[in-house]
């Protein structure tokens, strides 16, 4: 299938270099032909970017026509000047694109603290035509920071299409969404249905992953529907769930410095919320993550992570821990005969499956994380310099 065939009807894209970064693309646009029904979920980090409150206000009526992303500077902790700079960009785009500024969702990603080089951005917008394209590649490139590659997924759902584009590989434990993700469809979705559909998909995808426990100041997932095709709602929800899960996994697979992905299932918990908290406690433990990097089946660190999980109810005498098909802890004892096979399993596989059976209830939840490598430390020790 040609790439342009995977793009929902009614959307165009743009990506270029305006001067935020030294050389790489740093300014991206998605523009719909007409006003769309839209929804978005945002970071719960209270030290959020200046674009977040603007975005919340603009999507409040469930209508959007465009998305603008500046990449390289997050526009966080920039005060009144930072907020004014966001509005200056929106004003210029409104004039240039001939759409209302209130229908544009702004996003910024990158280094926290500096002001946007607003003069460079304004000068570019004033003196250059915005040649919108039918393909997404330049936009997908323009929103990246420490990512190693663009992350794009697309599927057909009946007559409609869903396209998802995400960026992010560090400062990631979404508490609603992840970094920046934009999901487009040409299906018809009512204003009343679009936010609940997005929230459902996000809760079982982006909200199940963690790279480094750090909830970004700029997290945004936006969903726009151009309304060209009737699509059965159940099928559309299933397609949206799939796209979000694939994009979330793509983010973990592109995690800064990561060499392994860990899928942790906590089963037979008293509630899904307890199972999720326990799983997150495991994948967020630096000791678990470094053991994974070193191919070390150190189940004691798993036990530690379970024990520190706030509100988790379990009987340690009933807990079982498995790496893949191999039990390593049961009946409150180490399964010593399996240690060497588990070490080989970790060393030989990129995807590691860990199961913790609490034997406490009937609820399960899977979360996804990664290892912690020397490269992660290197990337983040000199990020601002």
């Amino acid at each position: 299938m040609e790439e342009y065939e995977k793009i929902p009807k009614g959307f165009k894209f743009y990506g270029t270099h305006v001067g935020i970064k030294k050389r790489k693309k740093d300014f991206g646009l998605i523009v719909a032909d007409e006003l769309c029904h839209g929804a978005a979920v945002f970071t719960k980090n209270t030290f959020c970017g200046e674009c977040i409150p603007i975005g919340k206000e603009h999507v409040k009526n469930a209508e959007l026509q465009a998305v603008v992303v500046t990449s390289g500077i997050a526009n966080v902790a920039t005060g009144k000047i930072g907020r004014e700079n966001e509005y200056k960009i929106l004003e210029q785009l409104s004039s240039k694109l001939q759409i209302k500024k209130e229908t544009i969702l702004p996003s910024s990603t990158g280094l926290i603290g500096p002001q946007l080089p607003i003069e460079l951005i304004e000068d570019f917008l004033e003196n250059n035509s915005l040649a919108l394209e039918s393909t997404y590649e330049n936009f997908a490139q323009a929103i990246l920071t420490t990512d190693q590659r663009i992350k794009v997924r697309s599927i057909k759902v009946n007559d409609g299409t869903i396209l998802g584009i995400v960026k992010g590989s560090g400062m990631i434990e979404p508490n609603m969404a992840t970094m920046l993700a934009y999901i487009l469809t040409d299906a018809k979705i009512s204003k009343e249905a679009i936010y609940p559909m997005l929230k459902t998909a996000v809760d079982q995808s982006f909200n199940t992953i963690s790279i480094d426990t750090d909830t970004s100041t700029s997290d945004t997932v936006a969903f726009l529907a151009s309304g060209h095709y009737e699509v059965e709602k159940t099928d559309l929800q299933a397609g949206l769930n799939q796209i979000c899960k694939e994009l979330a996994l793509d983010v973990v697979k592109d995690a800064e410095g990561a060499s392994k992905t860990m899928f942790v299932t906590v089963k037979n918990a008293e509630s899904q919320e307890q199972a999720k908290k326990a799983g997150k406690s495991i994948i967020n433990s630096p000791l678990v993550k470094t053991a994974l990097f070193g191919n070390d089946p150190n189940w004691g660190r798993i036990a530690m992570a379970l024990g520190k999980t706030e509100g988790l109810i379990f009987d340690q005498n009933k807990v079982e821990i498995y790496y893949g098909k191999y039990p390593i802890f049961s009946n409150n004892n180490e399964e010593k005969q399996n240690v060497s096979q588990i070490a080989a399993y970790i060393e030989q596989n990129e995807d590691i499956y860990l199961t913790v059976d609490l034997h406490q209830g009937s609820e399960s939840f899977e979360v996804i994380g990664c290892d912690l490598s020397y490269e992660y430390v290197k990337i983040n020790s000199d990020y601002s310099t």
Side-chain angles (χ1 to χ4, degrees), residues 12 14 95 116 135-138 146 179 190 195 228 234 245 251 253 279 302 306 318 338 365:
K12 289 189 171 58
Y14 181 73
S95 174
L116 289 167
T135 55
Y136 55 70
E137 283 83 359
N138 285 327
T146 59
M179 303 58 56
S190 70
Y195 177 80
H228 288 274
T234 305
K245 285 179 179 178
V251 169
K253 290 286 188 181
I302 310 296
L306 281 177
K318 297 179 180 178
N338 293 329
F365 202 89

Side-chain angles (χ1 to χ4, degrees), residues 4-60:
Y4 67 84
E5 293 180 301
K6 298 181 183 178
I7 295 172
K9 186 175 180 181
F11 296 97
K12 289 189 171 58
F13 306 85
Y14 181 73
T16 192
H17 174 258
V18 298
I20 305 171
K21 299 176 184 174
K22 288 182 180 178
R23 287 176 297 277
K24 293 181 179 178
K25 292 183 178 68
D26 52 17
F27 183 89
L29 289 171
I30 300 172
V31 183
D33 298 339
E34 305 290 341
L35 197 61
C36 295
H37 288 170
V41 286
F42 300 93
T43 184
K44 289 182 180 176
N45 189 312
T46 52
F47 217 132
C48 62
E50 291 303 321
C51 55
I52 299 295
I54 299 172
K56 287 180 177 179
E57 183 64 28
H58 285 192
V59 78
K60 197 162 62 174

Side-chain angles (χ1 to χ4, degrees), residues 137 144 186 201 314:
E137 283 83 359
L144 304 181
D186 45 20
F314 67 96

Side-chain angles (χ1 to χ4, degrees), residues 103-122:
T103 68
I104 306 172
L105 184 82
S107 298
S108 293
T109 179
L111 187 63
I112 293 172
Q115 297 287 353
L116 289 167
I118 192 63
E119 295 83 4
L120 289 175
I121 298 170
E122 286 185 304

Side-chain angles (χ1 to χ4, degrees), residues 54-315:
I54 299 172
K56 287 180 177 179
E57 183 64 28
H58 285 192
V59 78
K60 197 162 62 174
N61 65 352
E63 291 181 347
L64 290 172
Q65 193 167 350
V67 169
V68 58
V69 186
T70 50
S71 175
I73 291 176
N75 201 13
V76 176
T78 52
K80 183 180 178 183
I81 294 173
R83 185 74 59 92
E84 289 173 350
N85 287 342
E86 291 287 349
Y87 280 120
K88 287 177 180 178
I89 293 169
L90 294 174
E91 290 280 2
Q92 276 195 285
L93 286 174
S94 172
S95 174
K96 200 95 173 174
L97 300 171
Q98 292 296 291
I99 61 176
K100 292 181 179 179
K101 68 176 184 295
E102 293 81 11
T103 68
I104 306 172
L105 184 82
S107 298
S108 293
T109 179
L111 187 63
I112 293 172
Q115 297 287 353
L116 289 167
I118 192 63
E119 295 83 4
L120 289 175
I121 298 170
E122 286 185 304
D123 183 66
F124 181 91
L125 292 175
E126 186 175 333
N127 294 298
N128 292 271
S129 62
L130 302 178
L132 300 177
E133 303 169 320
S134 58
T135 55
Y136 55 70
E137 283 83 359
N138 285 327
F139 171 81
Q141 287 285 350
I143 68 175
L144 304 181
T145 49
T146 59
D147 309 63
Q148 295 298 303
R149 57 184 176 83
I150 65 170
K151 295 178 275 287
V152 182
R153 295 280 178 163
S154 178
I155 58 169
K156 291 288 290 182
V157 182
N158 306 140
D159 292 332
T161 300
I162 306 175
L163 173 73
I165 304 171
V166 68
K167 67 80 51 185
S169 58
M171 197 186 286
I172 292 169
E173 186 188 6
N175 197 10
M176 53 84 244
T178 184
M179 303 58 56
L180 302 179
Y182 307 100
I183 304 164
L184 314 173
T185 185
D186 45 20
K188 291 181 181 177
I189 307 175
S190 70
K191 282 186 176 183
E192 295 72 27
I194 195 164
Y195 177 80
M197 289 185 72
L198 178 62
K199 187 72 167 63
T200 295
V202 162
D203 280 344
Q204 57 186 261
S205 57
F206 297 119
N207 280 353
T208 72
I209 68 171
S210 179
I211 288 176
D212 49 20
T213 82
D214 288 333
T215 299
S216 167
T217 55
S218 305
D219 287 349
T220 300
V221 174
F223 184 32
L224 281 70
S226 58
H228 288 274
Y229 301 105
E230 294 283 354
V231 176
E232 206 283 317
K233 187 178 178 182
T234 305
D235 293 340
L236 192 62
Q237 183 72 67
L240 180 62
N241 295 349
Q242 179 183 331
I243 282 282
C244 288
K245 285 179 179 178
E246 290 176 357
L247 291 173
L249 182 55
D250 285 343
V251 169
V252 179
K253 290 286 188 181
D254 193 32
E256 291 172 346
S259 64
K260 294 186 183 296
T261 303
M262 177 179 268
F263 299 79
V264 176
T265 299
V266 177
K267 61 190 287 189
N268 295 319
E270 284 202 347
S271 68
Q272 274 204 351
E273 186 60 28
Q274 283 195 14
K276 180 181 177 181
K277 281 184 176 179
K280 282 290 191 75
S281 183
I282 292 167
I283 64 171
N284 282 334
S285 164
L287 290 175
V288 171
K289 292 162 74 68
T290 49
L292 184 63
F293 177 66
N295 305 316
D296 180 7
N298 193 333
W299 62 268
R301 296 179 178 183
I302 310 296
M304 173 277 298
L306 281 177
K308 72 173 186 176
T309 306
E310 187 176 350
L312 182 64
I313 299 170
F314 67 96
D315 179 347

